[in-house]
Amino acid sequence: MHEATGMKRLLGAIGSLARRLAASTTVAKARLASPIETPEGSLRAVFEHSAVGIALLDRSSGIVHANAALERFLGLELSELSGRRITDFSSAEDAQATALMLDEVASGARENVAAEARFVRRDGSIGWGALSVSSAGQCAGVQLIAVLQDVTERKALEAELVHQATHDSLTELPNRALFRERVAHALTRSARDAQRIAVIVLDLDNFKEVNDTEGHGAGDRLLQVVSRRLLSAIRGCDSVARLGGDEFGVLLEQVDALAGAESVVERIVSSLRYPVELGTERSFSVCASVGIAVYSGQEDTEELLRNADVAMYEAKLRTPGRWVVFDRAMHTALIDRVSLEADLRTALERCQLVERPRLANTGIFPAFDSVRRLPPEFTVAYQPIVDLQSLKITGVEALARWTHPTRGPVSPEAFIPLAERSGVIASLGRWILREASRQGAAWNATRQDAPLTITVNLSGKQLELEGIVAEVDSVLRETGLAPTQLVLEITETVIMQNAESTLTRLRSLKRLGVRLAIDDFGTGYSSLSYLQRFPVDIVKIDRVFIDGLRHGTDGLALVRTILALADMLTLRTIAEGVEDSSQREQLRQLGCHAGQGYLFGRPMTVTEIDALLAAGTARAAPTQ
């Protein structure tokens, strides 16, 4: 009687657990080696037909009975289960935790316990189960009830979702979030084990060119190739991640300080040098700017990552395809550049509001207080261009000048590249074009002889703008400067970037009636075919060749060759950087049309140019 009561309680406990844990109503045919004798048929059916696995365990956690669902989950027959401990099927990672669960309930420390654990099936695969262990109460031969629900599919879905959240879908590399987490864990281990750690950040220098010329599909394939090469270049203990766009990160652990980090970077840079075939007509050589930050024992995760970013940015400012190791001065310099960029934007906005106060109503520009009472930070200086035969001033080149309220004069070599990187070069160039054209029209309105030409530099960023032609046309109409009196100056490098679209823009500008000049001629491509294709009117010979006139026959031969090429194409020539009278005389004898340089005048104010124009000719400065 006592045993029957215990069995009834046992089946009641089984039914309760099964109803609580089962998520499925699938009925399977039960296969028990020793059927449980009980008049409670419904409770027996729960045990036999339950969709979740159920096992009755003895005092040593050995399996006394098991239902068909447990057999299916493990891929074993009941005869193979009977007498074995359920922990015999636990994966190595979870065996200890599963045994502890069983011991806690068997000892009476806990009435029931539940957890998810991994189990090894007959075929060697791993199945995840939600395991619940409860006491069986007073029942002869049975002490514990184990209920196991198959959650393998759910765990696989969870793992896939986690993978998607922590990995880049294109390259399958860890993403920025996971990379940051791995760096944090590495720093924690380093604090315990005194490991050396370094973080590398690299950015592809020519990735935009691939996207622009070959399409985004080719760009995606390039990123996949780069990711594979990075994985092949690192050591087994290192990690690679795609941080976003064309930026990648590498975590180095157990690295031999800086020397070890640089050796890895050498392998990375070398692996990227090989041309990449993207399934198009062209192959590409990958070039990357790399920043290295070595852990000193003081940085936290964010600071170490930031240091690597700063070093990479510094590398990008220098020659492409090199690496730079972070030092503290770089961070100070970056803060200074960021501050200067903010001041540049503010100065430009003030400048535009002074010229066009109604811009304050557009919602784009902040309405600065007392903007008209502040002296303008931006001004335009003008350097004379002189006919080498008559020494008459035939034109001027407009050059931007910035006087910072606290820093004083800022060199164009500093703020022009900054304006290009920060994206404000188009606004700055537009303001210079308008101001120079307005001043040029004012000068020419009072001149009795030949009008002055006004030369304005056109940056590559401006030339990329869809509306650049309409913008130039608008400025000419607004200021009244004749199109033939405006010379737009473009460097050789800019002309060759996206050559076909550049050619289309230049032809459209030519249709306005303006003239085009190639600046720094001879330092770039210097191809006769390019000169023939592009609608250029003027060649400005770079000062490096003019300096060469002082150094014998080689420099003279180079200048003579450039002048002969320009003459053959009927192009006007202007020599840059003329600093002494002997250079001027040589250039005159060689047939160069005009010169520009300190011999004739440094960049000047409007008042100083007025004085030169009044004199009629440029007064050559004495030779230093």
Side-chain angles (χ1 to χ4, degrees):
M1 182 70 178
H2 177 72
E3 183 175 345
T5 301
M7 184 61 71
K8 182 177 180 179
R9 291 178 59 189
L10 170 62
L11 290 173
I14 293 172
S16 175
L17 283 168
R19 284 190 296 272
R20 178 161 52 90
L21 293 175
S24 169
T25 58
T26 303
V27 178
K29 182 179 180 180
R31 290 175 295 160
L32 289 174
S34 302
I36 299 174
E37 296 297 334
T38 173
E40 290 78 14
S42 61
L43 295 179
R44 178 176 178 178
V46 167
F47 181 85
E48 293 179 346
H49 300 161
S50 175
V52 298
I54 305 174
L56 310 182
L57 310 179
D58 60 21
R59 295 182 181 279
S60 62
S61 300
I63 298 174
V64 177
H65 296 294
N67 68 352
L70 185 63
E71 294 179 55
R72 288 194 301 273
F73 177 75
L74 294 175
L76 297 168
E77 300 291 337
L78 178 60
S79 58
E80 298 172 286
L81 296 176
S82 296
R84 298 183 65 180
R85 294 169 57 89
I86 198 166
T87 52
D88 292 345
F89 309 104
S90 297
S91 69
E93 298 88 345
D94 296 336
Q96 185 175 358
T98 303
L100 181 60
M101 289 174 60
L102 296 167
D103 291 343
E104 285 182 334
V105 179
S107 66
R110 299 177 66 177
E111 186 174 340
N112 57 71
V113 64
E116 292 182 344
R118 285 161 287 192
F119 295 87
V120 181
R121 294 162 164 163
R122 178 195 288 274
D123 61 4
S125 64
I126 298 296
W128 275 93
L131 177 64
S132 177
V133 180
S134 300
S135 173
Q138 299 297 321
C139 180
V142 177
Q143 186 175 15
L144 304 175
I145 305 170
V147 177
L148 191 63
Q149 183 179 9
D150 188 353
V151 294
T152 305
E153 289 188 7
R154 174 172 64 80
K155 296 296 288 188
L157 177 60
E158 289 175 356
E160 177 61 25
L161 292 174
V162 169
H163 182 85
Q164 292 177 8
T166 57
H167 288 73
D168 170 54
S169 60
L170 178 66
T171 64
E172 290 298 317
L173 293 176
N175 60 15
R176 182 181 290 274
L178 182 55
F179 186 70
R180 183 195 175 283
E181 182 179 322
R182 289 183 176 179
V183 172
H185 290 165
L187 295 187
T188 301
R189 290 192 295 271
S190 179
R192 295 194 303 263
D193 304 331
Q195 292 182 7
R196 295 302 301 237
I197 294 171
V199 171
I200 297 169
V201 173
L202 64 93
D203 185 90
L204 305 184
D205 295 314
N206 54 348
F207 181 68
K208 185 176 183 299
E209 177 189 340
V210 176
N211 273 342
D212 290 345
T213 60
E214 304 299 325
H216 289 277
D220 288 347
R221 290 192 292 274
L222 176 62
L223 293 174
Q224 291 171 332
V225 171
V226 169
S227 67
R228 291 194 294 270
R229 291 187 180 183
L230 290 176
L231 288 171
S232 67
I234 64 172
R235 305 167 305 163
C237 59
D238 301 330
S239 298
V240 178
R242 183 187 177 197
L243 305 182
D246 58 342
E247 187 175 305
F248 294 83
V250 181
L251 170 63
L252 306 181
E253 296 189 71
Q254 302 175 5
V255 67
D256 182 18
L258 179 57
E262 287 188 321
S263 67
V264 175
V265 173
E266 284 181 355
R267 292 199 301 272
I268 288 174
V269 172
S270 296
S271 71
L272 296 179
R273 286 198 182 107
Y274 297 101
V276 179
E277 301 293 337
L278 298 176
T280 62
E281 295 181 357
R282 300 170 59 194
S283 62
F284 290 86
S285 295
V286 183
C287 184
S289 296
V290 184
I292 306 172
V294 178
Y295 180 53
S296 69
Q298 303 298 319
E299 301 88 352
D300 61 15
T301 303
E302 296 302 331
E303 186 177 4
L304 187 60
L305 290 171
R306 183 206 68 193
N307 292 349
D309 267 327
V310 170
M312 183 275 291
Y313 184 72
E314 187 71 22
K316 195 166 280 292
L317 291 177
R318 303 180 190 180
T319 307
R322 64 177 297 162
W323 68 81
V324 169
V325 181
F326 174 81
D327 64 50
R328 296 293 169 188
M330 291 179 188
H331 188 231
T332 303
L334 177 62
I335 292 174
D336 184 67
R337 282 195 297 269
V338 170
S339 174
L340 190 64
E341 179 183 331
D343 292 345
L344 176 66
R345 291 179 183 275
T346 300
L348 182 58
E349 288 171 352
R350 287 185 187 277
C351 189
Q352 293 182 89
L353 282 176
V354 169
E355 294 296 316
R356 296 187 164 202
R358 284 181 296 177
L359 287 174
N361 299 325
T362 65
I364 299 174
F365 295 89
F368 297 105
D369 294 334
S370 307
V371 66
R372 288 186 176 277
R373 293 198 295 271
L374 293 172
E377 293 183 35
F378 279 108
T379 57
V380 177
Y382 300 91
Q383 187 172 30
I385 298 172
V386 175
D387 182 276
L388 291 180
Q389 296 289 343
S390 66
L391 289 183
K392 287 186 176 182
I393 299 174
T394 60
V396 293
E397 180 177 356
L399 301 166
R401 293 294 181 263
W402 181 20
T403 303
H404 192 278
T406 58
R407 298 171 185 254
V410 181
S411 169
E413 294 181 357
F415 75 80
I416 294 296
L418 181 62
E420 290 179 335
R421 290 194 300 271
S422 61
V424 301
I425 189 64
S427 297
L428 178 59
R430 186 182 307 117
W431 179 83
I432 295 170
L433 176 64
R434 181 178 293 109
E435 177 63 18
S437 297
R438 182 191 61 78
Q439 183 59 56
W443 275 324
N444 287 334
T446 61
R447 285 178 63 83
Q448 301 299 318
D449 51 359
L452 291 177
T453 60
I454 309 299
T455 299
V456 179
N457 290 281
L458 197 64
S459 76
K461 296 294 184 182
Q462 287 176 278
L463 199 58
E464 290 175 1
L465 295 175
E466 291 289 341
I468 183 61
V469 178
E471 184 176 292
V472 172
D473 184 41
S474 175
V475 168
L476 291 172
R477 294 175 185 275
E478 175 188 336
T479 61
L481 182 68
T484 55
Q485 294 159 12
L486 177 63
V487 176
L488 296 177
E489 189 173 292
I490 308 153
T491 64
E492 280 189 276
T493 304
V494 167
I495 284 180
M496 291 316 304
Q497 291 173 348
N498 300 322
E500 293 306 318
S501 61
T502 299
L503 178 59
T504 300
R505 297 263 167 79
L506 293 181
R507 286 173 174 167
S508 297
L509 287 169
K510 280 291 294 180
R511 283 194 287 270
L512 295 179
V514 303
R515 286 187 278 178
L516 301 176
I518 294 183
D519 190 22
D520 302 333
F521 184 79
T523 61
Y525 295 88
S526 304
S527 169
L528 177 60
S529 63
Y530 290 135
L531 279 179
Q532 289 174 315
R533 287 184 65 203
F534 288 92
V536 177
D537 303 284
I538 300 167
V539 168
K540 298 189 76 173
I541 306 171
D542 189 77
R543 65 177 304 137
V544 68
F545 299 106
I546 307 306
D547 288 341
L549 292 175
R550 299 171 176 172
H551 306 300
T553 57
D554 290 342
L556 184 64
L558 285 170
V559 173
R560 181 182 286 114
T561 300
I562 294 173
L563 289 171
L565 176 62
D567 183 63
M568 182 177 64
L569 297 175
T570 322
L571 300 176
R572 180 172 172 77
T573 51
I574 300 174
E576 297 181 293
V578 181
E579 296 186 355
D580 60 49
S581 55
S582 64
Q583 290 174 322
R584 176 241 171 177
E585 182 58 26
Q586 284 178 293
L587 289 166
R588 186 188 66 81
Q589 292 179 5
L590 289 172
C592 184
H593 300 111
Q596 180 180 350
Y598 288 174
L599 177 65
F600 310 116
R602 295 171 179 268
M604 303 176 184
T605 64
V606 171
T607 302
E608 291 170 327
I609 291 291
D610 286 339
L612 279 181
L613 294 176
T617 59
R619 296 183 297 274
T623 303
Q624 300 295 318

